[in-house]
């Protein structure tokens, strides 16, 4: 069991010292690095207080205070801390010389080696692996960094900020040095260092005020041709932030480095972003449309952090969503503006429902602002990021855009250069919009419950129609199924609604009104145009105005009406998702409703006729069945294999019923689709969706087209073809897989998608296939992307992973124990696939439980231990 105590929000205490400046010197050798740290330290108190610095796997060489070397009785060390017993009560200099070994560091935290390149990852607590420091986000310092190394081994030496000097050492021409200075105070988790043999691609950006910013993207030799999309994305993001938030970049240089071995997607280190190479190296030949959009979004996300995360950071890690939720909201808004708000909203909601809602229902559920943790790395979750973004979105809706931006401006003006809390942000928004809390149109304290309480609220909706007065009466009731203390909590839930006349469906008779549910029960009266005899059709939670689930008394006729007529992208799509969930649920429960299935398929035909090529992306969304996690959530006892099979059978039925319509669409799309991103992305999306239906129906011509499309110049088309063949047992599937591998075997970024494909597709050889993938000569155990590709893909191989003999679960347990030894962060994230074990039917439940116990009995890291113990609770 865990021996590490949890860290509690209630235990937060202000650090007794300021560290306004830090000077770091790195002497990079072949076996180790000598680090000199000089800190200017100012006590906050007039009386002496112990100075406690964090350190992990650091060899202390010397320590001096105001130039005087300290004796061993003046300080104490452990494997985690360095404590100065009686430091001065006035400002002093502390110089520490130490030695670290990044070459043997496999954790991908602190300073480590990746493909011959030295790189860092300091968020959340990696800086303590580099030098002794408080290593907490509320300590902000201005950094000056000197790097020294062999020029032949490390020709590129990078750190945060602006370059102040570079040149050869006077006494050794083989070694060179460079000095970087960051003029803005930052916390230690934003420190970055990169050293290695890298090539760069350069560009410039001119800000609105006329400042010229040098842009450089550093990659391994040969990857320069894949950087254009990243540069364009960055410049677009810089312009968007200036136009929408009035925020300019503040340094002379903006640097991005692509790293293969990286736990995160990317890291917003001030002026020196470090990216997982998958999220930088891209073009239409190697990267799908969805991936290109994600790269654009992540590039923007890390750039937006310059203000919402770097210039203003979080006081402690319990405030993590302060920077992440706000910045996710900003990058989602950015993508919406560029590529369409309706489609983006559908994508975000689908992700939220399949991942964050699942997290909220499981044992690892936690609040957006948690009260305690053991390992903070375990809280980089969809709750912190995506749910946190939904809370910001609700605030924008409740305040209105103009007032919202007034509040944002006040927040930035007030807290620039400091560390803030969630409450600081919320009350800045309110003050910026209304000056005083009493003038706010909603209860701020009730809204803060969104941050403090875990779980997903559920809203119950019932209607009654007053035909005499043409009034629709709607009653709302909210409940939250989180911890026991949450059951009677009142949340602020904004609800956007419209009403449609059944006789005139083209235009809403009431459109996009806002109702705020801020009590456990509350009623709404909607006055409808006089003369309406039939009750209108209610369109509720338009644009997904709150991150909740709801249950209403809308009829099947109402949902079919909305699926065909609603002018809100999300609500129309959601009506179709509801109908598909009902159909698949009935099938699994052996209560097949043939009439409903026929009516829905007829509605699909009508949608195809009305949308066709005019809105292919939206049509593709309407044709996409609900995610597996969403279907699992419909049942108290989950039978994963049955859910998978019945969902597949329904897709086959849809394909057969609309076969001719799909074939005509596919032929038109294959001839006319444009292959240059982002133009034509909707057509490519729809083509892939149609191919998936047609291959399931046994269409041999489509199978042939798919094999031929593997070598297409568009990776979107190639991967769509590969995906369409995945679920069928055919020679075409094997041929396509082999062809794709041979085309991309020397590109590790692309090859990860092949590993994921092979691990996730049904295969008669069973677990042997997964074992062969893990021992494949092209598989890289040190690359988190590769591990996630195979083990994550395996977890989506429903019949294999959930096999009733429990062998799939045990195999996963064994592999996670292995992964944990080299990369605890990756292991602790993947192990969450076991979090729903109690919800499964007995046979699966028993097998999964045995596997969790096996992991728990192993010698595992504190990261993985924390998650496993939560799962077992």
């Amino acid at each position: 069991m865990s021996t590490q105590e949890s860290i509690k929000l209630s235990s937060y205490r202000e650090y007794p010292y300021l560290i306004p400046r830090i000077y770091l010197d790195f002497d990079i050798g072949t076996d180790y690095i000598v680090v000199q740290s000089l800190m200017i330290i100012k006590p906050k108190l007039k009386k002496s207080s112990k100075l406690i610095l964090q350190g992990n796997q650091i060899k202390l060489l010397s320590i001096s205070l105001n130039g005087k070397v300290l004796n061993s009785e003046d300080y104490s060390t452990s494997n985690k801390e360095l404590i100065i017993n009686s430091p001065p009560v006035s400002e002093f200099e502390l110089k520490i010389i130490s030695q670290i070994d990044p070459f043997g560091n496999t954790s991908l935290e602190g300073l480590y080696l990746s493909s011959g390149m030295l790189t860092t990852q300091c968020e959340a607590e990696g800086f303590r692996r580099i030098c002794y420091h408080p290593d907490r986000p509320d300590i902000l310092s201005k950094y000056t960094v000197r790097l020294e190394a062999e020029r032949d081994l490390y020709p590129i030496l990078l750190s945060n900020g602006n370059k102040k000097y570079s040149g050869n050492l006077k006494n050794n021409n083989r070694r060179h040095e460079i000095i970087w200075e960051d003029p803005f105070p930052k916390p230690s988790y934003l420190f970055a260092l990169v050293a290695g043999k890298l090539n760069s691609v350069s560009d410039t950006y001119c800000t609105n005020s006329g400042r010229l910013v040098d842009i450089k993207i550093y990659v391994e030799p040969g990857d320069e041709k894949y950087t254009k999309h990243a540069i364009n994305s960055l410049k677009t993001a810089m312009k968007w932030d200036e136009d929408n938030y009035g925020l300019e970049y503040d340094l002379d240089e903006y640097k991005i480095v692509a790293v293969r071995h990286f736990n995160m997607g990317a890291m917003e280190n001030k002026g020196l972003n470090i990216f997982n190479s998958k999220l930088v190296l891209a073009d239409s030949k190697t990267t799908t449309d969805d991936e290109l959009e994600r790269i654009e979004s992540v590039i923007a996300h890390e750039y937006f952090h310059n203000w919402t995360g770097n210039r203003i950071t979080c006081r402690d890690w319990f405030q993590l969503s302060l920077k992440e939720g706000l910045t996710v909201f900003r990058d989602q808004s950015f993508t919406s503006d560029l590529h369409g708000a309706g489609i983006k909203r559908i994508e975000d909601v689908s992700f939220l429902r399949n991942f964050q809602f699942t997290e909220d229902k499981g044992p690892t559920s936690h609040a957006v602002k948690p009260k305690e943790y053991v390992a903070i790395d375990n809280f980089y979750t969809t709750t912190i990021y995506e749910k946190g973004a939904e809370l910001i979105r609700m605030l924008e809706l409740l305040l209105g855009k103009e007032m919202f931006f007034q509040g944002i401006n006040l927040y930035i003006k007030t807290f620039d250069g400091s560390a803030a809390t969630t409450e600081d942000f919320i009350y800045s928004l309110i003050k910026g919009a209304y000056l005083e809390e009493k003038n706010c149109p909603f209860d701020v304290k009730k809204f803060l419950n969104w941050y403090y309480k875990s779980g997903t609220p559920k809203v119950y909706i019932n209607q009654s129609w007053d035909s005499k007065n043409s009034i629709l009466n709607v009653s709302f009731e909210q409940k939250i199924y989180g911890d026991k203390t949450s059951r009677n909590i009142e949340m602020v839930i904004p609800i956007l609604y419209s009403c449609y006349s059944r006789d005139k469906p083209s235009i809403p008779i009431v459109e996009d009104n806002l109702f705020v549910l801020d009590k456990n029960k509350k009623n709404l009266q909607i006055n409808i145009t006089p003369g309406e005899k039939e009750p209108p059709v209610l369109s509720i939670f338009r644009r997904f105005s709150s991150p909740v689930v709801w249950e209403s008394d809308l009829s099947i006729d109402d949902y079919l009406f909305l699926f065909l007529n609603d002018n809100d992208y999300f609500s129309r799509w959601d009506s179709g998702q509801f109908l598909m969930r009902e159909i698949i649920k009935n099938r699994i429960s052996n209560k097949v409703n043939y009439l409903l299935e026929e009516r829905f398929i007829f509605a699909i035909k009508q949608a195809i006729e009305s949308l066709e090529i005019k809105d292919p992306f939206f049509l593709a969304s309407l044709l996409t069945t609900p995610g597996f996690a969403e279907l699992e959530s419909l049942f108290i006892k989950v039978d994963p294999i049955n859910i998978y099979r019945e969902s597949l059978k329904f897709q086959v039925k849809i394909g057969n019923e609309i076969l001719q319509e799909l074939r005509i669409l596919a032929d038109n799309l294959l001839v006319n689709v444009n292959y240059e991103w982002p133009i034509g992305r909707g057509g490519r999306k729809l083509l892939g969706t149609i191919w998936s239906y047609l291959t399931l129906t046994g269409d041999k011509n489509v199978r042939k087209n798919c094999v031929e499309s593997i070598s297409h110049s568009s990776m979107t088309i190639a991967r769509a073809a590969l995906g369409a063949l995945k679920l069928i047992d055919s020679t075409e599937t094997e041929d396509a897989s082999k062809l794709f591998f041979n085309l991309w075997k020397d590109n590790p970024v692309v090859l990860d998608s092949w590993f994921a494909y092979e691990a996730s597709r049904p295969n008669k050889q069973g677990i042997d296939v997964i074992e062969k993938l893990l021992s494949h000569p092209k598989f890289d155990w040190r690359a988190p992307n590769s591990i996630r590709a195979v083990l994550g893909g395996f977890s989506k191989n429903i019949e294999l992973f959930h096999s009733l003999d429990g062998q799939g679960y045990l195999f996963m347990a064994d592999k996670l124990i292995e992964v944990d030894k080299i990369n605890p962060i990756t292991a602790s994230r993947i192990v969450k696939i076991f979090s729903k074990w109690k919800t499964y039917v007995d046979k699966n439940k028993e097998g999964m439980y045995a596997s969790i116990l096996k992991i728990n009995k192993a010698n595992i890291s504190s990261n993985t231990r924390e998650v496993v113990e939560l799962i077992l609770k």
Side-chain angles (χ1 to χ4, degrees):
M1 299 296 288
S2 176
T3 57
Q4 188 172 345
E5 292 185 10
S6 65
I7 298 169
K8 294 180 170 57
L9 172 60
S10 59
S11 300
Y12 173 82
R13 297 293 181 271
E14 189 177 333
Y15 196 66
Y17 295 92
L18 296 171
I19 308 178
R21 292 206 67 93
I22 296 179
Y23 301 87
L24 295 176
D25 185 292
F26 291 85
D27 187 347
I28 301 172
T30 54
D31 299 315
Y32 57 84
I33 295 177
V34 174
V35 182
Q36 295 187 47
S37 165
L38 177 64
M39 294 182 279
I40 308 300
I41 300 178
K42 291 184 178 181
K44 292 181 180 178
L45 306 174
K46 293 184 178 180
K47 61 179 181 179
S48 183
S49 174
K50 286 184 178 180
L51 176 65
I52 301 174
L53 305 175
Q54 305 298 319
N56 188 352
Q57 298 182 11
I58 295 175
K59 181 179 179 181
L60 180 63
L61 299 180
S62 72
I63 179 169
S64 59
L65 198 155
N66 287 335
K68 179 184 176 182
V69 177
L70 296 185
N71 298 318
S72 58
E73 60 267 21
D74 296 325
Y75 64 91
S76 60
T77 59
S78 67
N79 60 352
K80 290 186 177 181
E81 290 180 336
L82 166 63
I83 301 174
I84 312 293
N85 296 321
S86 300
V89 294
S90 58
E91 180 179 311
F92 60 94
E93 290 185 0
L94 183 67
K95 184 176 183 179
I96 300 173
I97 302 176
S98 55
Q99 182 178 302
I100 57 174
D101 175 19
F103 308 101
N105 179 7
T106 62
S107 69
L108 308 191
E109 294 180 273
L111 183 59
Y112 62 93
L113 193 69
S114 171
S115 303
M117 171 192 356
L118 288 168
T119 187
T120 53
Q121 173 55 37
C122 292
E123 187 174 357
E125 296 176 340
F127 193 67
R128 64 191 62 187
R129 289 174 174 264
I130 296 173
C131 65
Y132 287 105
H133 188 272
D135 200 16
R136 42 189 284 171
D138 57 349
I139 303 299
L140 280 72
S141 311
K142 293 182 179 180
Y143 283 69
T144 299
V145 179
R146 177 185 173 273
L147 306 173
E148 174 193 326
E150 291 278 347
R151 182 179 289 277
D152 289 343
L153 291 176
Y154 303 104
I156 298 296
L157 300 173
L158 305 173
S159 192
N160 311 80
N162 300 318
K163 183 165 66 173
K164 307 306 290 185
Y165 170 79
S166 65
N168 291 334
L169 296 188
K170 292 179 180 178
N171 57 349
N172 187 346
N173 285 332
R174 289 181 303 164
R175 294 180 70 81
H176 67 132
E177 64 178 336
I178 188 166
I179 298 173
W180 295 91
E181 185 176 85
D182 188 348
F184 297 96
K186 65 174 178 284
S188 57
Y189 78 84
L190 291 173
F191 171 78
L193 181 159
V194 173
K197 295 177 181 177
L198 297 165
N199 289 348
S200 67
V201 179
S202 301
D203 207 325
T204 57
Y205 177 79
C206 185
T207 68
N208 279 350
S209 66
R211 289 181 57 251
L212 207 60
V213 178
D214 289 328
I215 295 171
K216 282 185 168 55
I217 297 190
Y218 292 86
V219 296
E220 293 180 34
D223 287 336
E224 297 90 339
K225 59 187 175 183
Y226 299 122
T227 61
K228 183 179 178 181
H229 178 66
I231 289 174
N232 290 341
S233 299
L234 175 60
K235 293 171 75 172
T236 304
M238 296 172 93
K239 177 65 173 158
W240 185 89
D241 213 20
E242 290 176 342
D243 292 346
N244 288 271
Y245 284 81
L247 300 175
E248 280 194 6
Y249 187 59
D250 49 11
L251 291 171
D252 300 332
E253 303 181 25
Y254 195 96
K255 305 179 289 291
I256 292 175
V257 181
V259 177
R260 171 70 175 153
H261 302 101
F262 201 65
N263 273 325
M264 309 291 186
M267 183 60 213
E268 69 267 20
N269 314 301
K270 180 78 176 178
L272 177 56
N273 289 182
I274 298 178
F275 270 66
N276 190 312
S277 54
K278 182 177 177 62
L279 292 170
V280 173
L281 307 178
D283 62 17
S284 294
K285 293 180 181 179
T286 61
T287 315
T288 66
D289 289 341
D290 289 345
E291 290 168 340
L292 287 167
E293 182 183 296
R294 172 159 166 69
I295 289 167
E296 181 183 63
S297 172
V298 176
I299 293 276
H301 179 97
E302 305 310 326
Y303 173 74
F304 296 154
H305 264 314
N306 185 59
W307 283 92
T308 53
N310 297 1
R311 290 281 290 257
I312 306 175
T313 192
C314 45
R315 186 196 70 178
D316 53 71
W317 292 119
F318 298 99
Q319 324 291 333
L320 180 58
S321 193
L322 171 68
K323 73 182 184 78
E324 296 301 348
L326 176 55
T327 307
V328 169
F329 168 76
R330 275 157 49 73
D331 79 56
Q332 288 176 348
S333 302
F334 167 75
T335 303
S336 294
D337 286 350
L338 264 58
H339 303 298
I343 291 298
K344 176 59 176 168
R345 197 69 188 119
I346 290 170
E347 292 172 347
D348 291 340
V349 173
S350 181
F351 182 88
L352 195 78
R353 286 176 169 173
N354 280 282
F355 294 95
Q356 197 282 316
F357 281 15
T358 300
E359 186 171 80
D360 255 350
K361 290 181 68 175
T364 59
S365 173
H366 59 87
V368 174
K369 183 174 180 173
K371 294 179 180 178
E372 62 180 311
Y373 62 80
V374 172
I376 185 56
D377 297 308
N378 289 332
F379 282 83
Y380 285 76
T381 62
T382 54
T383 297
I384 298 295
Y385 282 68
E386 279 73 24
K387 186 175 181 178
E390 292 298 319
L391 307 194
I392 308 297
R393 189 177 303 279
M394 284 192 291
L395 286 165
E396 183 193 49
L397 179 60
L398 288 163
L399 295 171
K401 279 197 172 184
E402 184 178 347
M403 294 295 194
F404 175 78
F405 277 105
Q406 286 182 23
I408 289 286
N409 290 338
L410 180 64
Y411 168 66
I412 291 171
K413 182 179 179 181
T414 305
F415 293 99
D416 184 15
S418 65
T421 66
T422 301
E423 291 77 10
D424 290 333
F425 172 73
I426 299 295
Y427 285 108
S428 289
L429 285 187
I430 303 307
K431 186 177 180 182
Y434 298 105
L435 297 180
E436 294 185 33
E437 184 183 343
K438 65 181 181 181
N439 297 325
C440 183
F442 60 91
D443 189 319
V444 180
K445 291 182 174 60
K446 286 184 180 180
F447 187 87
L448 282 166
N449 286 329
W450 280 104
Y451 285 93
Y452 303 152
K453 300 297 179 181
S454 63
T456 305
K458 186 170 185 177
V459 178
Y460 298 87
I461 306 161
N462 288 285
Q463 309 168 79
S464 64
W465 172 241
D466 180 351
S467 58
K468 181 179 179 181
N469 297 300
S470 296
I471 294 174
L472 182 65
N473 296 293
V474 189
S475 65
F476 296 87
E477 181 180 3
Q478 61 166 293
K479 292 183 180 179
I480 182 166
Y481 299 94
D483 57 81
K484 292 179 181 179
T485 62
S486 300
R487 302 232 171 122
N488 295 313
I489 292 294
E490 292 178 333
M491 315 286 277
V492 174
I493 301 175
I495 302 171
L496 269 182
Y497 68 91
S498 291
C499 291
Y500 287 88
S501 169
R502 295 176 192 274
D503 298 328
K504 301 173 183 177
S506 58
I507 302 174
I509 49 179
V510 175
E511 186 166 19
D512 285 342
N513 284 5
L514 179 62
F515 172 74
V516 179
L517 176 61
D518 53 5
K519 295 178 181 175
N520 287 330
K521 294 182 179 181
K522 195 172 179 179
N523 297 323
L524 168 68
Q525 275 195 348
I526 306 174
N527 293 304
I528 305 300
T529 307
E532 288 284 340
K533 298 301 180 185
E534 292 294 315
V537 180
L538 180 64
S539 172
I540 205 80
F541 285 106
R542 292 164 68 80
R543 306 205 300 264
F544 196 66
S545 55
S546 298
V548 302
V549 294
W550 61 91
E551 185 179 301
S552 76
D553 59 357
L554 265 68
S555 66
I556 294 298
D557 285 344
D558 292 337
Y559 282 110
L560 285 166
F561 177 96
L562 294 170
F563 178 71
L564 289 172
N565 299 293
D566 206 321
N567 67 0
D568 176 61
Y569 267 52
F570 163 74
S571 295
R572 186 173 179 183
W573 167 82
D574 188 55
S575 298
Q577 294 290 292
F578 172 84
L579 292 167
M580 284 194 265
R581 287 194 299 267
E582 284 296 299
I583 289 168
I584 296 169
K585 183 180 179 182
N586 288 338
R587 282 173 162 261
I588 293 165
S589 305
N590 295 315
K591 299 175 183 177
V592 181
N593 187 332
Y594 293 108
L595 179 59
L596 173 58
E597 292 189 10
E598 288 174 13
R599 293 182 70 193
F600 180 64
I601 290 172
F602 181 69
I604 289 177
K605 290 182 179 181
Q606 290 177 280
I608 291 173
E609 187 177 333
S610 65
L611 291 170
E612 202 172 327
I613 307 299
K614 289 179 288 186
D615 201 343
F617 210 124
F618 186 44
L619 181 54
S621 300
L622 294 183
L623 289 171
T624 302
T625 54
F628 190 77
E630 284 184 79
L631 296 175
E632 283 187 313
S633 70
L634 300 175
F635 300 93
I636 297 173
K637 285 290 183 181
V638 175
D639 182 345
I641 293 176
N642 197 25
I643 290 174
Y644 167 74
R645 289 174 177 172
E646 290 301 328
S647 176
L648 202 58
K649 287 178 184 177
F650 179 54
Q651 291 176 61
V652 172
K653 180 173 182 177
I654 293 175
N656 282 319
E657 292 289 333
I658 59 173
L659 192 62
Q660 293 309 314
E661 290 88 346
L662 293 179
R663 281 175 174 166
I664 292 169
L665 273 174
D667 289 342
N668 290 337
L669 288 165
L670 196 56
V671 172
N672 298 317
V673 72
N674 188 299
Y675 298 115
E676 188 61 38
W677 188 89
I679 300 169
R681 58 196 286 268
R684 291 188 289 274
K685 186 79 168 180
L686 180 57
L687 181 61
T689 304
I690 291 170
W691 274 350
S692 293
Y693 276 109
L694 291 178
T695 54
L696 289 174
T697 66
D699 191 314
K700 292 184 178 179
N701 286 332
V702 168
R703 292 184 188 181
K704 181 183 176 183
N705 284 341
C706 286
V707 176
E708 292 172 351
S709 297
I710 295 300
S711 54
H712 201 284
S713 60
S714 164
M715 180 56 74
T716 303
I717 297 295
R719 291 267 295 278
L722 203 62
L725 293 167
K726 184 168 79 170
L727 298 180
I728 60 173
D729 182 13
S730 68
T731 55
E732 290 91 346
T733 305
E734 297 299 327
D735 291 344
S737 177
K738 289 175 184 176
L739 179 57
F740 189 89
F741 173 81
N742 288 329
L743 283 169
W744 299 108
K745 60 186 176 183
D746 296 323
N747 187 318
V749 173
V750 177
L751 199 59
D752 282 335
S753 64
W754 178 82
F755 276 110
Y757 177 78
E758 284 296 294
S760 62
R761 74 181 176 99
N763 199 303
K764 293 176 181 177
Q765 297 176 50
I767 287 174
D768 288 346
V769 170
I770 313 300
E771 192 69 83
K772 287 177 183 176
L773 290 172
L774 292 171
S775 58
H776 195 286
K778 293 289 185 178
F779 181 79
D780 183 355
W781 270 102
R782 286 199 62 203
N785 289 348
S786 297
I787 295 169
R788 286 190 287 262
V790 174
L791 296 186
F794 173 47
S795 71
K796 296 181 179 74
N797 194 330
I798 303 301
E799 293 186 297
L800 184 58
F801 178 62
H802 292 286
S803 60
L804 294 179
D805 60 6
Q807 291 305 303
Y809 302 145
L810 287 171
F811 178 83
M812 181 68 83
D814 287 336
K815 296 308 168 187
L816 287 177
I817 291 169
E818 289 182 41
V819 172
D820 186 69
K821 293 175 182 176
I822 58 172
N823 194 329
I825 291 176
T826 297
S828 66
R829 291 177 180 178
I830 299 177
V831 80
K832 290 180 181 180
I833 57 173
F834 290 120
S835 63
K836 294 184 288 184
W837 69 276
K838 288 183 180 179
T839 66
Y840 289 113
V841 292
D842 289 345
K843 199 72 176 174
N844 293 101
K845 180 178 176 180
E846 291 164 7
M848 198 170 270
Y849 180 60
S851 299
I852 302 166
L853 287 180
K854 185 173 188 177
I855 298 172
N856 194 49
K857 290 175 183 177
N859 181 23
I860 53 177
S861 66
S862 60
N863 295 65
T864 304
R865 175 75 63 201
E866 179 182 21
V867 178
V868 169
E869 289 183 356
L870 285 170
I871 290 171
L872 286 172
K873 281 183 181 180

